[in-house]
């Protein structure tokens, strides 16, 4: 590709086939050709429409390439030919088309992307039902699932998108006149896809999608030119919520205003905004915010949060960023005095809103000071009372001291000392005791220390101003000190919350899936008497501590409740409770997921077992059955006279097949009993050497059992079965080499080793060979179904022992059966698991 810039894309968008997209595209090509532009047609589908075919006259058409697909010959856009021709503009019909198998690109829009990358301008067409984001919506409208789609992002990247519009009735008339489909398809099309309701819905969908793209272009233009002023191109509403009980009424009012703004459709877009303080103090809990988010969604709006220390500025910045035309705020709950001293959020928004309309909506909370919202003193009633007492009596006590030492100071010093007293009262009792102290101190200062003394009259105007200023400054200082004390208290509380959340997170993370540990951590952290988690139907999933006394119920998801027993005030801290609930929810979801996973694993294991069992039945059962049947049929054949030797051979074949069937059935039954937990070992003292002798009797297996080997605690019958399976496995894998069995004692365990010098088993696959139906590839089919070692391990574990495998020095595999010894205190000879057989 050369250094040309990327080509420009122009899209003709239609609501349905037949509205004239291809005609409009060809008309655009003819206009450009008349202006002297190099235009070629890469591919156009006329669908047999004469007027569309006429538009092709005079335009250069690039020959299509032929693709053979089975017995069908297909034609596609020849991308290489168009790139070689390198025109200025190329016309490409049906952007969402899927190319024939074997093409360079799967989709035609990918071919168009290559043309654009080559610096060629492209004019193309697409229907709204082929847009990827609208595929589900159009299927719900028309009942037809479109398999050919194009990504919205690619279409949105076009420099120009033009809607080829036509009313549903006009399009149906075109269809009826045969201008869209052949006559034999008109009736079916009119009664199915081209119903008037379908066409109206698709048309509205296309208009709305294009309107959203216009909005995006407008926003890009405003950002590029740094335009902050509101352009009221359409109504957009922002409603500010505090998280208080008035939030839902405000959002409902916003939804009503939005619906009236654009009657006849879904209304104007509206957004609920919550402003979080930058310092993290006095926050609304996440559970409440999630509740508001759900409410906004149910009412047809969206919910957003912003961070800012100045709520009014944050609201206006957000509204201007959204190009909002209206802002809704609730009426202030502040008193008139507070409003006079400091303008509230509503007053600030009205003053600075500019072109944005502001609605101040009254609500029930504005008519009463809600105790939950109104700031209460965090100092406690005792300190507040002490503050009032000091504010009332302190000025008189201070005046007595100052009168007794009147020669040592003057009026300025006395005024400053009274100011110190006001500050002390503010720190002790808060705002209102300090206001009282300021008023009383002003009166005392006037009566006892401002000439003429002992009277409320003031001789000097300057002294009168000083007393008034003293009272005002005292009140102002009291306000500042009280506010600073409140902020400090909130900060300390936030820090305490953060520390507690850190401790809670650490404990909950380490609790993992342990519900009891979670409840224990909850009780310890909050100082409760007890805690329990139960379902809504009353079933208790877990409980810790004393489940009596006052209780507080906290919902955990839709189906469970966390019950906290103890002082409810100790657990009223919403962020901590929210964190606890979140972890409890995750724990329950994790437990549910683990249960589902375990069930799936169980079902998969059962399916694998059934598959292996069917394979065994199909081959390993059929082989001995076929041998038995053939031998019996041969013996019963009257046309054949068998010698005694031949008859003996056939009977031996029958007996061998029957034995193999018997062993296979026993293994299957034992495996079934082990998997269902039906095997119960009868523990007793067992002479291991005798069991070994019975198992290896009549074979060439070497045996090395200590003479003074103690007895083992086991089930004699089960142990014999275990050793028989293990020995049989060793003989199968020995490859003609010798097999040895030895037994000794290690600590309080009796260990029987079965040693072979066959090919061995890689360490990574040793556990696999103890699973049912495993034959590791070195045993020919028909020689068992791979249950022997699985049964042996299961029976060994049922007796309280273990069955493991290790390498044989020099090559081979050693299987170790370890069982608890009977009355063993110590054994002098440690087990050498790599000990060789005697020479």
């Amino acid at each position: 590709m050369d250094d040309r810039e990327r080509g420009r894309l122009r899209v003709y968008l239609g609501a349905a086939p037949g509205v004239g997209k291809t005609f409009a595209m060809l008309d655009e090509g003819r206009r450009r050709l008349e202006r002297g532009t190099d235009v070629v047609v890469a591919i156009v589908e006329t669908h047999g429409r004469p007027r569309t075919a006429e538009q092709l006259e005079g335009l250069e058409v690039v020959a299509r390439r032929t693709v053979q697909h089975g017995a069908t010959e297909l034609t596609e856009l020849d991308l290489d030919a168009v790139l070689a021709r390198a025109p200025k503009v190329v016309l490409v019909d049906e952007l969402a088309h899927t190319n024939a198998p074997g093409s360079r690109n799967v989709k035609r829009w990918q071919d168009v992307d290559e043309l654009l990358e080559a610096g060629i301008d492209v004019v193309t067409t697409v229907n709204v039902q082929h847009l990827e984001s609208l595929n589900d919506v159009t299927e719900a409208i028309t009942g037809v699932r479109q398999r050919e789609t194009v990504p919205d992002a690619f279409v949105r990247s076009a420099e120009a998108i033009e809607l080829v519009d036509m009313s549903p009735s006009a399009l149906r008339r075109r269809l009826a006149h045969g201008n869209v489909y052949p006559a034999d398809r008109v009736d079916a099309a009119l009664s199915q896809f081209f119903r008037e309701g379908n066409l109206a819905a698709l048309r509205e969908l296309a208009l709305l999608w294009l309107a959203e793209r216009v909005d995006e272009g407008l926003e890009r233009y405003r950002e590029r030119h740094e335009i902050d002023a509101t352009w009221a191109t359409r109504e957009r509403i922002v409603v500010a919520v505090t998280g208080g009980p008035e939030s839902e009424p405000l959002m409902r009012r916003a939804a009503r205003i939005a619906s009236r703004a654009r009657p006849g459709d879904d209304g104007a877009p509206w957004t609920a905004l919550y402003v979080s303080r930058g310092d993290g103090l006095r926050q609304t809990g996440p559970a409440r915010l999630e509740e508001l988010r759900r409410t906004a969604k149910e009412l047809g709006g969206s919910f957003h949060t912003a961070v800012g220390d100045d709520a009014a500025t944050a609201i206006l910045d957000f509204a201007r960023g959204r190009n909002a035309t209206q802002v809704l705020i609730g009426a202030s709950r502040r008193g008139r005095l507070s409003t006079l001293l400091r303008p509230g959020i509503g007053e600030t928004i009205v003053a600075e809103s500019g072109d944005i309309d502001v609605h101040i909506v009254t609500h029930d909370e504005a008519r009463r000071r809600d105790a939950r919202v109104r700031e209460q003193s965090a100092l406690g009633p005792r300190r507040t009372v002490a503050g009032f007492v000091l504010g009332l009596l302190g000025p008189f006590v201070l005046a007595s001291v100052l009168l007794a030492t009147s020669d040592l100071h003057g009026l300025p010093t006395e005024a400053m000392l009274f100011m110190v007293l006001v500050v002390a009262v503010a720190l002790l009792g808060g705002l209102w005791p300090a206001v009282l102290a300021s008023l009383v101190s002003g009166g005392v200062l006037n009566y006892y220390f401002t000439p003429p003394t002992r009277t409320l009259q003031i001789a000097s105007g300057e002294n009168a101003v000083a007393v008034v200023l003293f009272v005002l400054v005292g009140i102002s200082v009291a306000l500042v000190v009280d506010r600073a004390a409140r902020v400090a208290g909130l900060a300390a509380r936030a820090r305490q919350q953060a520390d507690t959340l850190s401790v809670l997170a650490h404990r909950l993370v380490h609790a993992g899936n342990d519900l009891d540990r979670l409840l224990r951590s909850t009780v310890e952290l909050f100082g409760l008497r007890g805690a329990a988690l139960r379902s809504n139907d009353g079933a208790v999933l877990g409980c810790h501590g004393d489940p009596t006394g006052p209780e507080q119920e906290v919902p955990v998801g839709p189906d469970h409740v966390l019950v906290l027993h103890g002082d409810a005030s100790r657990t009223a801290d919403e962020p901590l409770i929210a964190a606890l609930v979140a972890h409890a929810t995750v724990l329950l979801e994790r437990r549910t997921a683990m249960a589902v996973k375990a069930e799936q694993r169980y079902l998969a294991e059962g399916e694998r077992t059934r598959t292996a069992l069917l394979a065994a039945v199909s081959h390993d059962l059929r082989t001995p059955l076929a041998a038995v049947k053939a031998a019996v049929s041969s013996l019963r054949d009257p046309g054949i006279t068998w010698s005694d030797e031949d008859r003996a051979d056939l009977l031996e074949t029958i007996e061998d097949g029957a034995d193999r069937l018997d062993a296979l059935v026993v293994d299957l039954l034992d495996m079934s009993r082990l998997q269902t937990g039906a095997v119960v070992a009868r523990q007793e003292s067992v002479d291991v050497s005798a069991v070994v002798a019975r198992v290896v009797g009549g074979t060439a297996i070497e045996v090395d059992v200590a003479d003074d080997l103690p007895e083992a605690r086991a089930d004699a019958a089960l142990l014999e079965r275990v050793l028989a399976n293990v020995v049989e496995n060793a003989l199968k894998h020995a490859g003609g080499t010798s097999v040895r069995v030895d037994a000794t004692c290690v600590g309080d365990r009796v260990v029987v080793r079965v040693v072979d010098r066959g090919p061995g088993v890689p360490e990574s696959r040793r556990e696999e060979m103890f699973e049912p139906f495993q034959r590791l590839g070195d045993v020919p089919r028909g020689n068992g179904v791979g249950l022997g070692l699985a049964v042996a391990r299961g029976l060994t574990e049922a007796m309280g022992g273990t069955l493991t495998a290790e390498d044989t020095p020099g090559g081979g595999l050693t299987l170790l059966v370890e069982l608890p010894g009977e009355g063993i205190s110590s054994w002098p000879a440690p087990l050498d698991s790599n000990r060789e057989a005697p020479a």
Side-chain angles (χ1 to χ4, degrees):
M1 187 181 77
D2 57 24
D3 294 333
R4 297 172 62 185
E5 295 182 355
R6 181 177 171 87
R8 292 171 294 181
L9 177 64
R10 183 181 186 90
V11 177
Y12 284 96
L13 175 68
V19 296
K21 303 180 302 299
T22 304
F23 189 93
M25 178 188 70
L26 292 172
D27 191 51
E28 173 72 15
R30 295 175 68 87
R31 286 197 302 271
R32 296 196 183 196
L33 183 64
E34 290 172 359
R35 292 197 298 265
T37 306
D38 183 13
V39 180
V40 301
V41 177
I43 190 164
V44 164
E45 302 293 349
T46 64
H47 298 290
R49 300 166 190 166
R51 293 193 59 193
T52 303
E54 290 174 5
Q55 287 290 97
L56 279 169
E57 295 179 3
L59 292 172
E60 179 184 347
V61 180
V62 177
R64 303 187 186 190
R65 66 183 179 88
T66 302
V67 179
Q68 194 70 31
H69 182 57
T72 306
E73 191 175 85
L74 304 175
T75 60
E76 292 288 354
L77 181 154
D78 193 336
L79 181 59
D80 292 329
V82 176
L83 290 172
R85 171 64 175 76
K88 175 61 179 175
V89 178
V90 63
L91 309 183
V92 179
D93 203 10
E94 297 185 358
L95 181 64
H97 172 76
T98 300
N99 292 329
S103 301
R104 183 159 75 201
N105 295 313
V106 177
K107 297 286 188 178
R108 183 169 291 168
W109 68 264
Q110 295 170 318
D111 294 338
V112 170
D113 191 49
E114 284 198 36
L115 294 173
L116 294 172
E117 285 293 327
I120 301 173
D121 295 344
V122 178
V123 183
T124 187
T125 65
V126 70
N127 280 326
V128 68
Q129 64 264 32
H130 294 293
L131 295 174
E132 201 166 77
S133 67
L134 301 179
N135 194 253
D136 293 338
V137 181
T138 56
E139 181 186 8
I141 294 172
T142 64
V144 178
R145 181 75 175 181
Q146 298 294 338
R147 301 185 182 278
E148 296 183 327
T149 60
V150 59
D152 290 49
F154 185 77
V155 180
R156 284 201 299 268
S157 68
E159 183 182 67
I161 304 175
E162 184 174 329
L163 179 65
V164 182
D165 189 30
M166 181 176 289
S167 69
S169 57
L171 180 56
R172 285 172 59 85
R173 282 197 301 272
R174 287 199 66 200
L175 192 68
H177 293 160
N179 294 329
V180 179
Y181 291 144
D184 58 341
R185 296 176 56 191
V186 170
D187 290 339
L190 286 172
S191 62
Q192 296 175 10
F193 185 90
F194 286 84
R195 295 197 300 268
E196 190 161 354
N198 287 2
L199 296 177
L202 292 173
R203 185 189 187 200
E204 181 178 7
L205 203 60
L207 289 168
L208 290 174
W209 187 89
L210 190 60
E212 290 178 1
R213 306 292 80 76
V214 173
D215 281 347
E216 291 175 0
L218 178 61
E219 288 303 315
R220 288 195 298 269
Y221 179 85
R222 283 164 52 86
E223 291 176 4
R224 187 165 59 249
H225 292 82
E226 299 181 353
I227 299 174
D228 295 329
T230 299
W231 286 6
T233 54
R234 62 187 300 193
E235 293 293 335
R236 295 180 180 85
I237 301 169
V238 172
V239 53
V241 296
T242 64
E246 76 281 0
S247 300
E248 285 84 355
L250 284 176
M251 288 193 290
R252 285 192 287 270
R253 177 64 65 87
R256 290 197 297 271
I257 294 175
S259 64
R260 290 196 297 267
R262 295 176 64 191
D265 58 17
D266 293 334
W270 67 273
T271 299
L273 175 66
Y274 171 79
V275 179
S276 174
R277 288 177 55 127
D279 55 15
L281 305 180
R282 291 186 297 180
Q283 302 283 29
T284 299
R288 174 60 175 160
L289 293 181
E290 185 59 32
E291 182 181 350
L292 294 177
R293 190 184 304 277
R294 288 196 301 268
T295 302
K297 185 176 181 181
E298 291 170 0
L299 293 173
S302 59
F303 185 87
H304 294 265
T305 59
V307 178
D309 294 327
D310 187 343
T313 302
I315 292 169
L316 287 174
D317 288 345
F318 181 86
R320 291 191 179 101
R322 286 301 182 98
N323 200 24
T325 57
Q326 302 180 52
V327 170
L328 269 71
I329 57 175
S332 176
R333 290 170 290 185
R334 302 168 69 232
R336 295 181 180 178
L337 178 60
S338 299
T339 303
L340 289 174
L341 294 175
R342 182 169 57 89
I345 296 174
E347 291 80 4
T348 304
I349 290 177
V350 170
E352 301 179 3
S353 60
D355 296 333
I356 302 175
D357 297 335
V358 180
H359 302 265
I360 299 179
V361 181
T362 186
H363 49 85
D364 291 340
E365 300 303 318
R367 303 185 184 96
R368 64 175 183 268
R369 299 291 302 276
D370 192 295
R372 187 178 64 84
V373 177
R374 190 176 78 185
E375 294 183 359
Q376 298 289 343
S377 174
L379 301 176
R382 298 181 63 179
R383 287 186 60 177
T384 303
V385 171
F388 276 114
V389 171
L390 180 60
L392 182 61
L393 302 180
F396 294 101
V397 174
L398 179 58
S400 300
V401 175
L402 293 176
L403 289 172
T405 58
S406 58
D407 297 336
L408 302 177
H409 43 74
L411 182 60
T413 302
E414 293 159 354
M416 291 305 298
L417 289 173
F418 276 102
M419 184 63 67
V420 171
L421 176 63
V422 172
V423 173
V425 173
L427 292 174
L428 175 65
L431 174 61
W432 295 112
V435 172
L436 175 63
S438 179
L439 295 173
V440 174
S441 296
V444 171
L445 182 65
N446 175 26
Y447 189 83
Y448 288 107
F449 301 100
T450 305
T453 58
R454 309 290 177 171
T455 176
L456 295 178
Q457 296 180 355
I458 304 176
S460 171
E462 183 177 353
N463 289 340
V465 172
V467 171
V468 173
L469 289 176
F470 172 84
V471 174
L472 293 177
V473 171
I475 294 176
S476 300
V477 169
L479 285 169
V480 172
V481 171
D482 178 75
R483 182 173 179 80
R486 289 179 184 276
V487 172
L490 289 172
R493 184 183 175 197
R495 184 174 60 188
Q496 182 183 12
Q497 278 188 0
D499 293 342
T500 307
L501 281 172
S502 176
V503 174
L504 178 63
H506 182 269
R507 292 188 178 186
L508 295 183
V509 167
H510 284 79
N513 294 328
D514 190 346
L515 179 59
D516 292 335
R517 188 170 180 179
L518 170 66
L519 297 175
R520 182 170 66 253
S521 297
T522 302
V523 171
E524 293 173 356
L525 187 61
F526 293 106
L528 301 171
R529 298 178 61 180
L533 185 66
R534 68 185 183 209
S535 60
N536 290 340
D537 58 7
V540 178
L541 279 70
C543 181
H544 182 79
D546 182 12
T548 60
E551 67 178 39
Q552 177 185 359
E553 292 189 354
V554 184
V556 179
D559 302 320
H560 299 86
V561 173
L562 179 64
V563 184
L564 308 176
H565 297 277
D567 185 3
S569 64
R570 298 285 301 276
T571 60
D573 207 335
E574 188 172 351
L576 301 181
I577 295 296
L580 179 64
V581 168
H583 188 84
T585 303
V586 171
L587 187 146
L588 289 174
E589 291 175 351
R590 191 182 300 166
R591 286 165 66 109
T592 302
M594 290 179 65
V596 171
K597 185 177 181 180
E599 182 179 1
Q600 291 175 343
R601 188 187 302 115
Y602 175 79
L603 293 175
E605 181 66 22
E607 184 64 27
R608 189 175 69 86
T609 301
R610 281 192 295 272
T611 302
L613 181 58
L614 287 174
V617 170
S618 64
H619 188 281
D620 296 293
L621 283 178
R622 189 169 54 190
T623 299
L625 281 175
V628 169
K629 186 175 186 304
V632 170
S633 299
S634 298
L635 288 173
R636 295 185 61 188
D637 189 347
I640 302 176
T641 302
W642 299 100
S643 64
D644 292 341
E645 183 179 353
D646 291 337
R647 184 180 297 274
D649 288 341
L650 290 173
L651 291 174
E652 184 179 354
T653 299
I654 295 172
E655 184 179 16
D656 180 64
D659 289 342
R660 289 175 61 187
L661 288 173
D662 179 68
L664 181 59
V665 171
V666 169
D667 279 344
L668 289 172
L669 290 176
D670 283 346
M671 197 69 244
S672 175
R673 291 168 60 206
L674 287 170
Q675 290 182 337
T676 58
V679 175
V680 179
R682 185 179 62 187
Q683 299 291 85
E684 59 184 357
S685 298
V686 175
D687 184 355
V688 175
S689 59
V691 175
V692 171
R694 290 197 297 270
V695 170
V696 302
T699 67
I701 296 176
E702 302 176 22
V703 178
D704 181 14
V705 179
D707 295 335
D708 53 353
L709 182 70
E711 294 182 334
R713 290 288 299 173
D715 184 309
L718 296 184
L719 178 58
E720 185 172 345
R721 181 68 191 284
V722 168
L723 294 179
N725 282 10
V726 172
V727 168
E728 181 183 6
N729 178 81
L731 291 173
K732 288 178 182 178
H733 291 79
T737 61
S738 62
V739 174
R740 176 171 53 85
V741 177
D742 61 45
T744 186
C745 186
V746 177
D748 60 350
R749 311 281 285 182
V750 175
V751 181
V752 180
R753 300 191 320 149
V754 179
V755 184
D756 70 63
R757 292 195 171 276
V761 176
E763 185 175 357
S764 60
R765 301 194 64 186
R766 285 178 190 164
E767 284 302 311
E768 183 181 338
M769 71 183 187
F770 290 107
E771 296 178 6
F773 307 106
Q774 294 296 321
R775 290 189 296 191
L776 300 189
D778 56 356
V779 177
R781 293 193 61 84
N783 199 6
V785 294
L787 283 175
L789 291 184
V791 171
R793 171 171 276 190
L795 296 178
T796 303
E797 291 175 351
M799 294 184 291
T802 59
L803 174 58
T804 57
E806 63 181 27
D807 286 329
T808 300
L813 187 71
T814 298
L815 294 174
L816 295 87
V817 180
E818 299 187 28
L819 297 167
E822 178 68 27
I824 302 175
S825 58
S826 64
W827 185 261
L831 173 67
D832 180 4
S833 62
N834 294 325
R835 173 164 65 102
E836 293 298 323

